[in-house]
PDB file of all heavy atoms in Angstrom:
ATOM      1  N   LEU A   1      -6.712-133.652  64.476  1.00 84.00           N
ATOM      2  CA  LEU A   1      -6.166-133.120  63.322  1.00 84.00           C
ATOM      3  C   LEU A   1      -7.168-132.887  62.147  1.00 84.00           C
ATOM      4  O   LEU A   1      -6.867-132.051  61.193  1.00 84.00           O
ATOM      5  CB  LEU A   1      -5.070-134.110  62.807  1.00 84.00           C
ATOM      6  CG  LEU A   1      -3.979-134.385  63.739  1.00 84.00           C
ATOM      7  CD1 LEU A   1      -3.043-135.400  63.215  1.00 84.00           C
ATOM      8  CD2 LEU A   1      -3.161-132.971  63.906  1.00 84.00           C
ATOM      9  N   LYS A   2      -8.273-133.698  61.979  1.00 81.00           N
ATOM     10  CA  LYS A   2      -9.350-133.531  61.026  1.00 81.00           C
ATOM     11  C   LYS A   2      -8.550-133.697  59.644  1.00 81.00           C
ATOM     12  O   LYS A   2      -8.793-132.883  58.647  1.00 81.00           O
ATOM     13  CB  LYS A   2     -10.011-132.274  61.096  1.00 81.00           C
ATOM     14  CG  LYS A   2     -11.012-132.282  62.331  1.00 81.00           C
ATOM     15  CD  LYS A   2     -11.965-131.149  62.269  1.00 81.00           C
ATOM     16  CE  LYS A   2     -12.993-131.280  63.531  1.00 81.00           C
ATOM     17  NZ  LYS A   2     -13.715-132.352  63.552  1.00 81.00           N
ATOM     18  N   GLY A   3      -7.662-134.549  59.427  1.00 75.00           N
ATOM     19  CA  GLY A   3      -7.038-134.868  58.182  1.00 75.00           C
ATOM     20  C   GLY A   3      -5.726-134.038  57.891  1.00 75.00           C
ATOM     21  O   GLY A   3      -5.131-134.360  56.963  1.00 75.00           O
ATOM     22  N   VAL A   4      -5.474-133.167  58.747  1.00 78.00           N
ATOM     23  CA  VAL A   4      -4.208-132.283  58.562  1.00 78.00           C
ATOM     24  C   VAL A   4      -3.068-133.121  59.125  1.00 78.00           C
ATOM     25  O   VAL A   4      -3.108-133.500  60.346  1.00 78.00           O
ATOM     26  CB  VAL A   4      -4.279-130.956  59.290  1.00 78.00           C
ATOM     27  CG1 VAL A   4      -3.060-130.182  59.097  1.00 78.00           C
ATOM     28  CG2 VAL A   4      -5.457-130.136  58.702  1.00 78.00           C
ATOM     29  N   PRO A   5      -1.987-133.237  58.406  1.00 72.00           N
ATOM     30  CA  PRO A   5      -0.771-133.906  58.895  1.00 72.00           C
ATOM     31  C   PRO A   5      -0.251-133.120  60.090  1.00 72.00           C
ATOM     32  O   PRO A   5      -0.222-131.935  60.089  1.00 72.00           O
ATOM     33  CB  PRO A   5       0.283-133.935  57.841  1.00 72.00           C
ATOM     34  CG  PRO A   5      -0.540-133.749  56.557  1.00 72.00           C
ATOM     35  CD  PRO A   5      -1.779-132.942  56.969  1.00 72.00           C
ATOM     36  N   ASN A   6       0.214-133.841  61.220  1.00 71.00           N
ATOM     37  CA  ASN A   6       0.667-133.095  62.451  1.00 71.00           C
ATOM     38  C   ASN A   6       1.810-132.342  62.182  1.00 71.00           C
ATOM     39  O   ASN A   6       2.040-131.236  62.827  1.00 71.00           O
ATOM     40  CB  ASN A   6       0.823-134.151  63.556  1.00 71.00           C
ATOM     41  CG  ASN A   6       2.023-134.997  63.350  1.00 71.00           C
ATOM     42  OD1 ASN A   6       2.149-135.640  62.380  1.00 71.00           O
ATOM     43  ND2 ASN A   6       2.879-135.033  64.285  1.00 71.00           N
ATOM     44  N   ASP A   7       2.640-132.687  61.279  1.00 66.00           N
ATOM     45  CA  ASP A   7       3.894-131.932  61.054  1.00 66.00           C
ATOM     46  C   ASP A   7       3.772-130.899  59.921  1.00 66.00           C
ATOM     47  O   ASP A   7       4.754-130.271  59.446  1.00 66.00           O
ATOM     48  CB  ASP A   7       5.041-132.885  60.651  1.00 66.00           C
ATOM     49  CG  ASP A   7       4.636-133.950  59.691  1.00 66.00           C
ATOM     50  OD1 ASP A   7       3.509-133.889  59.084  1.00 66.00           O
ATOM     51  OD2 ASP A   7       5.491-134.821  59.380  1.00 66.00           O
ATOM     52  N   VAL A   8       2.442-130.628  59.559  1.00 73.00           N
ATOM     53  CA  VAL A   8       2.261-129.383  58.673  1.00 73.00           C
ATOM     54  C   VAL A   8       1.873-128.150  59.396  1.00 73.00           C
ATOM     55  O   VAL A   8       1.980-127.072  58.953  1.00 73.00           O
ATOM     56  CB  VAL A   8       1.214-129.759  57.515  1.00 73.00           C
ATOM     57  CG1 VAL A   8      -0.158-129.763  58.125  1.00 73.00           C
ATOM     58  CG2 VAL A   8       1.416-129.013  56.306  1.00 73.00           C
ATOM     59  N   VAL A   9       1.414-128.316  60.553  1.00 80.00           N
ATOM     60  CA  VAL A   9       0.807-127.205  61.377  1.00 80.00           C
ATOM     61  C   VAL A   9       2.030-126.152  61.742  1.00 80.00           C
ATOM     62  O   VAL A   9       1.723-124.954  61.668  1.00 80.00           O
ATOM     63  CB  VAL A   9       0.288-127.674  62.688  1.00 80.00           C
ATOM     64  CG1 VAL A   9      -0.325-126.525  63.466  1.00 80.00           C
ATOM     65  CG2 VAL A   9      -0.861-128.700  62.392  1.00 80.00           C
ATOM     66  N   ASN A  10       3.208-126.605  61.796  1.00 78.00           N
ATOM     67  CA  ASN A  10       4.259-125.602  62.146  1.00 78.00           C
ATOM     68  C   ASN A  10       4.578-124.735  60.980  1.00 78.00           C
ATOM     69  O   ASN A  10       5.375-123.713  61.089  1.00 78.00           O
ATOM     70  CB  ASN A  10       5.570-126.352  62.690  1.00 78.00           C
ATOM     71  CG  ASN A  10       6.145-127.204  61.758  1.00 78.00           C
ATOM     72  OD1 ASN A  10       5.825-127.268  60.543  1.00 78.00           O
ATOM     73  ND2 ASN A  10       7.158-128.148  62.176  1.00 78.00           N
ATOM     74  N   ASN A  11       3.934-124.937  59.897  1.00 81.00           N
ATOM     75  CA  ASN A  11       4.139-124.000  58.708  1.00 81.00           C
ATOM     76  C   ASN A  11       3.365-122.716  58.936  1.00 81.00           C
ATOM     77  O   ASN A  11       3.557-121.691  58.115  1.00 81.00           O
ATOM     78  CB  ASN A  11       3.579-124.661  57.385  1.00 81.00           C
ATOM     79  CG  ASN A  11       4.696-125.732  56.954  1.00 81.00           C
ATOM     80  OD1 ASN A  11       5.695-125.447  56.351  1.00 81.00           O
ATOM     81  ND2 ASN A  11       4.346-126.957  57.081  1.00 81.00           N
ATOM     82  N   LEU A  12       2.574-122.596  60.100  1.00 87.00           N
ATOM     83  CA  LEU A  12       2.067-121.386  60.392  1.00 87.00           C
ATOM     84  C   LEU A  12       3.238-120.383  60.672  1.00 87.00           C
ATOM     85  O   LEU A  12       2.955-119.135  60.553  1.00 87.00           O
ATOM     86  CB  LEU A  12       1.222-121.591  61.670  1.00 87.00           C
ATOM     87  CG  LEU A  12      -0.121-122.235  61.445  1.00 87.00           C
ATOM     88  CD1 LEU A  12      -0.752-122.657  62.815  1.00 87.00           C
ATOM     89  CD2 LEU A  12      -1.019-121.345  60.613  1.00 87.00           C
ATOM     90  N   ASP A  13       4.362-120.895  61.183  1.00 88.00           N
ATOM     91  CA  ASP A  13       5.526-119.908  61.367  1.00 88.00           C
ATOM     92  C   ASP A  13       5.969-119.194  60.185  1.00 88.00           C
ATOM     93  O   ASP A  13       6.002-118.051  60.063  1.00 88.00           O
ATOM     94  CB  ASP A  13       6.563-120.709  62.080  1.00 88.00           C
ATOM     95  CG  ASP A  13       7.823-119.859  62.276  1.00 88.00           C
ATOM     96  OD1 ASP A  13       7.856-118.861  62.921  1.00 88.00           O
ATOM     97  OD2 ASP A  13       8.874-120.336  61.526  1.00 88.00           O
ATOM     98  N   PRO A  14       6.401-119.970  59.149  1.00 87.00           N
ATOM     99  CA  PRO A  14       6.888-119.298  57.789  1.00 87.00           C
ATOM    100  C   PRO A  14       5.760-118.542  57.220  1.00 87.00           C
ATOM    101  O   PRO A  14       6.019-117.509  56.537  1.00 87.00           O
ATOM    102  CB  PRO A  14       7.387-120.364  56.987  1.00 87.00           C
ATOM    103  CG  PRO A  14       6.852-121.708  57.528  1.00 87.00           C
ATOM    104  CD  PRO A  14       6.705-121.403  59.026  1.00 87.00           C
ATOM    105  N   LEU A  15       4.460-119.062  57.268  1.00 89.00           N
ATOM    106  CA  LEU A  15       3.365-118.355  56.641  1.00 89.00           C
ATOM    107  C   LEU A  15       3.177-116.960  57.433  1.00 89.00           C
ATOM    108  O   LEU A  15       2.943-115.973  56.602  1.00 89.00           O
ATOM    109  CB  LEU A  15       2.026-119.106  56.832  1.00 89.00           C
ATOM    110  CG  LEU A  15       0.895-118.540  56.259  1.00 89.00           C
ATOM    111  CD1 LEU A  15       0.915-118.336  54.763  1.00 89.00           C
ATOM    112  CD2 LEU A  15      -0.496-119.347  56.482  1.00 89.00           C
ATOM    113  N   ALA A  16       3.281-116.981  58.639  1.00 91.00           N
ATOM    114  CA  ALA A  16       3.278-115.626  59.396  1.00 91.00           C
ATOM    115  C   ALA A  16       4.431-114.679  58.909  1.00 91.00           C
ATOM    116  O   ALA A  16       4.246-113.493  58.884  1.00 91.00           O
ATOM    117  CB  ALA A  16       3.308-115.910  60.905  1.00 91.00           C
ATOM    118  N   LEU A  17       5.470-115.248  58.800  1.00 91.00           N
ATOM    119  CA  LEU A  17       6.606-114.485  58.341  1.00 91.00           C
ATOM    120  C   LEU A  17       6.435-113.798  56.985  1.00 91.00           C
ATOM    121  O   LEU A  17       6.914-112.713  56.741  1.00 91.00           O
ATOM    122  CB  LEU A  17       7.949-115.330  58.360  1.00 91.00           C
ATOM    123  CG  LEU A  17       8.556-115.589  59.785  1.00 91.00           C
ATOM    124  CD1 LEU A  17       9.499-116.715  59.722  1.00 91.00           C
ATOM    125  CD2 LEU A  17       9.282-114.413  60.306  1.00 91.00           C
ATOM    126  N   LEU A  18       5.811-114.669  56.036  1.00 90.00           N
ATOM    127  CA  LEU A  18       5.595-114.064  54.701  1.00 90.00           C
ATOM    128  C   LEU A  18       4.678-112.843  54.856  1.00 90.00           C
ATOM    129  O   LEU A  18       4.696-112.007  53.909  1.00 90.00           O
ATOM    130  CB  LEU A  18       4.951-115.168  53.773  1.00 90.00           C
ATOM    131  CG  LEU A  18       5.782-116.415  53.428  1.00 90.00           C
ATOM    132  CD1 LEU A  18       5.097-117.289  52.508  1.00 90.00           C
ATOM    133  CD2 LEU A  18       7.199-115.938  52.901  1.00 90.00           C
ATOM    134  N   ILE A  19       3.800-112.831  55.877  1.00 92.00           N
ATOM    135  CA  ILE A  19       2.902-111.684  56.033  1.00 92.00           C
ATOM    136  C   ILE A  19       3.593-110.498  56.749  1.00 92.00           C
ATOM    137  O   ILE A  19       3.477-109.354  56.250  1.00 92.00           O
ATOM    138  CB  ILE A  19       1.746-112.102  56.767  1.00 92.00           C
ATOM    139  CG1 ILE A  19       0.772-113.223  56.016  1.00 92.00           C
ATOM    140  CG2 ILE A  19       0.720-110.990  56.997  1.00 92.00           C
ATOM    141  CD1 ILE A  19      -0.249-113.866  56.677  1.00 92.00           C
ATOM    142  N   PHE A  20       4.243-110.812  57.773  1.00 93.00           N
ATOM    143  CA  PHE A  20       4.779-109.815  58.720  1.00 93.00           C
ATOM    144  C   PHE A  20       6.111-109.160  58.212  1.00 93.00           C
ATOM    145  O   PHE A  20       6.415-108.014  58.495  1.00 93.00           O
ATOM    146  CB  PHE A  20       4.926-110.216  60.070  1.00 93.00           C
ATOM    147  CG  PHE A  20       3.569-110.541  60.725  1.00 93.00           C
ATOM    148  CD1 PHE A  20       3.029-111.747  60.963  1.00 93.00           C
ATOM    149  CD2 PHE A  20       2.777-109.354  61.088  1.00 93.00           C
ATOM    150  CE1 PHE A  20       1.834-111.907  61.603  1.00 93.00           C
ATOM    151  CE2 PHE A  20       1.470-109.594  61.683  1.00 93.00           C
ATOM    152  CZ  PHE A  20       1.039-110.918  62.007  1.00 93.00           C
ATOM    153  N   VAL A  21       6.939-109.902  57.526  1.00 91.00           N
ATOM    154  CA  VAL A  21       8.244-109.322  57.078  1.00 91.00           C
ATOM    155  C   VAL A  21       7.982-108.077  56.116  1.00 91.00           C
ATOM    156  O   VAL A  21       8.515-107.044  56.295  1.00 91.00           O
ATOM    157  CB  VAL A  21       9.155-110.417  56.371  1.00 91.00           C
ATOM    158  CG1 VAL A  21      10.269-109.807  55.555  1.00 91.00           C
ATOM    159  CG2 VAL A  21       9.738-111.373  57.397  1.00 91.00           C
ATOM    160  N   PRO A  22       7.151-108.251  55.091  1.00 91.00           N
ATOM    161  CA  PRO A  22       7.027-106.995  54.242  1.00 91.00           C
ATOM    162  C   PRO A  22       6.202-105.950  55.024  1.00 91.00           C
ATOM    163  O   PRO A  22       6.504-104.718  54.862  1.00 91.00           O
ATOM    164  CB  PRO A  22       6.029-107.550  53.129  1.00 91.00           C
ATOM    165  CG  PRO A  22       6.201-109.035  53.084  1.00 91.00           C
ATOM    166  CD  PRO A  22       6.517-109.303  54.393  1.00 91.00           C
ATOM    167  N   LEU A  23       5.399-106.199  55.964  1.00 92.00           N
ATOM    168  CA  LEU A  23       4.752-105.222  56.736  1.00 92.00           C
ATOM    169  C   LEU A  23       5.725-104.407  57.557  1.00 92.00           C
ATOM    170  O   LEU A  23       5.619-103.233  57.699  1.00 92.00           O
ATOM    171  CB  LEU A  23       3.657-105.888  57.612  1.00 92.00           C
ATOM    172  CG  LEU A  23       2.349-106.335  56.973  1.00 92.00           C
ATOM    173  CD1 LEU A  23       1.370-106.982  57.996  1.00 92.00           C
ATOM    174  CD2 LEU A  23       1.610-105.187  56.210  1.00 92.00           C
ATOM    175  N   CYS A  24       6.690-105.090  58.246  1.00 90.00           N
ATOM    176  CA  CYS A  24       7.777-104.432  58.955  1.00 90.00           C
ATOM    177  C   CYS A  24       8.544-103.560  58.168  1.00 90.00           C
ATOM    178  O   CYS A  24       8.913-102.399  58.478  1.00 90.00           O
ATOM    179  CB  CYS A  24       8.576-105.450  59.658  1.00 90.00           C
ATOM    180  SG  CYS A  24       7.777-106.192  61.157  1.00 90.00           S
ATOM    181  N   ASP A  25       8.954-104.032  56.975  1.00 86.00           N
ATOM    182  CA  ASP A  25       9.822-103.267  55.939  1.00 86.00           C
ATOM    183  C   ASP A  25       9.220-102.071  55.415  1.00 86.00           C
ATOM    184  O   ASP A  25       9.869-101.082  55.267  1.00 86.00           O
ATOM    185  CB  ASP A  25      10.423-104.266  54.908  1.00 86.00           C
ATOM    186  CG  ASP A  25      11.348-103.507  53.904  1.00 86.00           C
ATOM    187  OD1 ASP A  25      12.330-103.146  54.499  1.00 86.00           O
ATOM    188  OD2 ASP A  25      10.927-103.338  52.818  1.00 86.00           O
ATOM    189  N   THR A  26       7.875-102.219  55.032  1.00 86.00           N
ATOM    190  CA  THR A  26       7.292-101.097  54.293  1.00 86.00           C
ATOM    191  C   THR A  26       6.403-100.237  55.262  1.00 86.00           C
ATOM    192  O   THR A  26       6.226 -99.095  54.799  1.00 86.00           O
ATOM    193  CB  THR A  26       6.329-101.702  53.239  1.00 86.00           C
ATOM    194  OG1 THR A  26       5.274-102.620  53.789  1.00 86.00           O
ATOM    195  CG2 THR A  26       7.128-102.520  52.120  1.00 86.00           C
ATOM    196  N   LEU A  27       6.068-100.688  56.360  1.00 89.00           N
ATOM    197  CA  LEU A  27       5.188 -99.817  57.269  1.00 89.00           C
ATOM    198  C   LEU A  27       5.747 -99.456  58.618  1.00 89.00           C
ATOM    199  O   LEU A  27       5.888 -98.489  58.992  1.00 89.00           O
ATOM    200  CB  LEU A  27       3.778-100.471  57.362  1.00 89.00           C
ATOM    201  CG  LEU A  27       2.933-100.741  56.082  1.00 89.00           C
ATOM    202  CD1 LEU A  27       1.696-101.428  56.528  1.00 89.00           C
ATOM    203  CD2 LEU A  27       2.489 -99.429  55.568  1.00 89.00           C
ATOM    204  N   LEU A  28       6.103-100.581  59.324  1.00 90.00           N
ATOM    205  CA  LEU A  28       6.397-100.400  60.780  1.00 90.00           C
ATOM    206  C   LEU A  28       7.846 -99.573  60.834  1.00 90.00           C
ATOM    207  O   LEU A  28       7.872 -98.595  61.424  1.00 90.00           O
ATOM    208  CB  LEU A  28       6.632-101.826  61.351  1.00 90.00           C
ATOM    209  CG  LEU A  28       7.168-101.588  62.952  1.00 90.00           C
ATOM    210  CD1 LEU A  28       6.205-100.957  63.781  1.00 90.00           C
ATOM    211  CD2 LEU A  28       7.363-103.074  63.494  1.00 90.00           C
ATOM    212  N   TYR A  29       8.912-100.085  60.217  1.00 87.00           N
ATOM    213  CA  TYR A  29      10.201 -99.492  60.347  1.00 87.00           C
ATOM    214  C   TYR A  29      10.199 -98.071  59.803  1.00 87.00           C
ATOM    215  O   TYR A  29      10.692 -97.055  60.343  1.00 87.00           O
ATOM    216  CB  TYR A  29      11.333-100.337  59.792  1.00 87.00           C
ATOM    217  CG  TYR A  29      11.500-101.594  60.503  1.00 87.00           C
ATOM    218  CD1 TYR A  29      11.997-102.734  59.851  1.00 87.00           C
ATOM    219  CD2 TYR A  29      11.175-101.831  61.944  1.00 87.00           C
ATOM    220  CE1 TYR A  29      12.213-103.922  60.494  1.00 87.00           C
ATOM    221  CE2 TYR A  29      11.363-103.040  62.434  1.00 87.00           C
ATOM    222  CZ  TYR A  29      11.855-103.995  61.859  1.00 87.00           C
ATOM    223  OH  TYR A  29      12.089-105.255  62.517  1.00 87.00           O
ATOM    224  N   PRO A  30       9.799 -97.873  58.488  1.00 85.00           N
ATOM    225  CA  PRO A  30       9.697 -96.465  58.003  1.00 85.00           C
ATOM    226  C   PRO A  30       8.882 -95.543  58.875  1.00 85.00           C
ATOM    227  O   PRO A  30       9.082 -94.349  59.054  1.00 85.00           O
ATOM    228  CB  PRO A  30       9.152 -96.650  56.665  1.00 85.00           C
ATOM    229  CG  PRO A  30       9.344 -98.068  56.265  1.00 85.00           C
ATOM    230  CD  PRO A  30       9.306 -98.833  57.520  1.00 85.00           C
ATOM    231  N   GLY A  31       7.643 -96.115  59.407  1.00 88.00           N
ATOM    232  CA  GLY A  31       6.803 -95.266  60.281  1.00 88.00           C
ATOM    233  C   GLY A  31       7.599 -94.794  61.545  1.00 88.00           C
ATOM    234  O   GLY A  31       7.435 -93.693  61.878  1.00 88.00           O
ATOM    235  N   LEU A  32       8.192 -95.682  62.199  1.00 86.00           N
ATOM    236  CA  LEU A  32       8.967 -95.457  63.358  1.00 86.00           C
ATOM    237  C   LEU A  32      10.090 -94.363  63.044  1.00 86.00           C
ATOM    238  O   LEU A  32      10.320 -93.439  63.784  1.00 86.00           O
ATOM    239  CB  LEU A  32       9.635 -96.639  64.042  1.00 86.00           C
ATOM    240  CG  LEU A  32       8.648 -97.596  64.520  1.00 86.00           C
ATOM    241  CD1 LEU A  32       9.404 -98.966  64.939  1.00 86.00           C
ATOM    242  CD2 LEU A  32       7.891 -97.042  65.832  1.00 86.00           C
ATOM    243  N   ARG A  33      10.716 -94.509  62.019  1.00 80.00           N
ATOM    244  CA  ARG A  33      11.772 -93.457  61.484  1.00 80.00           C
ATOM    245  C   ARG A  33      11.173 -92.130  61.356  1.00 80.00           C
ATOM    246  O   ARG A  33      11.866 -91.154  61.707  1.00 80.00           O
ATOM    247  CB  ARG A  33      12.548 -93.913  60.328  1.00 80.00           C
ATOM    248  CG  ARG A  33      13.548 -95.065  60.534  1.00 80.00           C
ATOM    249  CD  ARG A  33      14.533 -95.202  59.388  1.00 80.00           C
ATOM    250  NE  ARG A  33      13.913 -95.719  58.308  1.00 80.00           N
ATOM    251  CZ  ARG A  33      13.720 -97.018  57.879  1.00 80.00           C
ATOM    252  NH1 ARG A  33      14.154 -97.920  58.783  1.00 80.00           N
ATOM    253  NH2 ARG A  33      13.141 -97.365  56.826  1.00 80.00           N
ATOM    254  N   ARG A  34      10.061 -92.157  60.739  1.00 80.00           N
ATOM    255  CA  ARG A  34       9.345 -90.762  60.531  1.00 80.00           C
ATOM    256  C   ARG A  34       8.986 -90.100  61.764  1.00 80.00           C
ATOM    257  O   ARG A  34       8.903 -88.805  61.870  1.00 80.00           O
ATOM    258  CB  ARG A  34       8.161 -91.021  59.586  1.00 80.00           C
ATOM    259  CG  ARG A  34       8.479 -91.103  58.093  1.00 80.00           C
ATOM    260  CD  ARG A  34       7.277 -90.904  57.182  1.00 80.00           C
ATOM    261  NE  ARG A  34       6.340 -92.001  57.408  1.00 80.00           N
ATOM    262  CZ  ARG A  34       6.449 -93.182  56.709  1.00 80.00           C
ATOM    263  NH1 ARG A  34       7.308 -93.399  55.843  1.00 80.00           N
ATOM    264  NH2 ARG A  34       5.626 -94.057  56.987  1.00 80.00           N
ATOM    265  N   MET A  35       8.701 -90.893  62.762  1.00 81.00           N
ATOM    266  CA  MET A  35       8.283 -90.489  64.139  1.00 81.00           C
ATOM    267  C   MET A  35       9.640 -90.130  64.955  1.00 81.00           C
ATOM    268  O   MET A  35       9.424 -89.665  66.097  1.00 81.00           O
ATOM    269  CB  MET A  35       7.450 -91.385  64.858  1.00 81.00           C
ATOM    270  CG  MET A  35       6.029 -91.489  64.257  1.00 81.00           C
ATOM    271  SD  MET A  35       4.989 -92.494  65.244  1.00 81.00           S
ATOM    272  CE  MET A  35       5.688 -94.119  65.110  1.00 81.00           C
TER     273      MET A  35
END
């Protein structure tokens, strides 16, 4: 762990969502509709 609490690692899930949700809304879905 190198000092990281074992139950903090699963926050990679919401952190990834904070990145990918806006990308899907502003880039992926509109891009697919334009195609």
Side-chain angles (χ1 to χ4, degrees):
L1 298 173
K2 293 191 177 296
V4 177
N6 70 305
D7 46 7
V8 81
V9 182
N10 61 12
N11 285 283
L12 287 169
D13 171 66
L15 180 61
L17 283 163
L18 295 185
I19 296 171
F20 288 109
V21 164
L23 289 177
C24 286
D25 179 66
T26 58
L27 296 177
L28 177 62
Y29 296 153
L32 291 175
R33 284 195 294 272
R34 282 193 295 273
M35 291 187 292

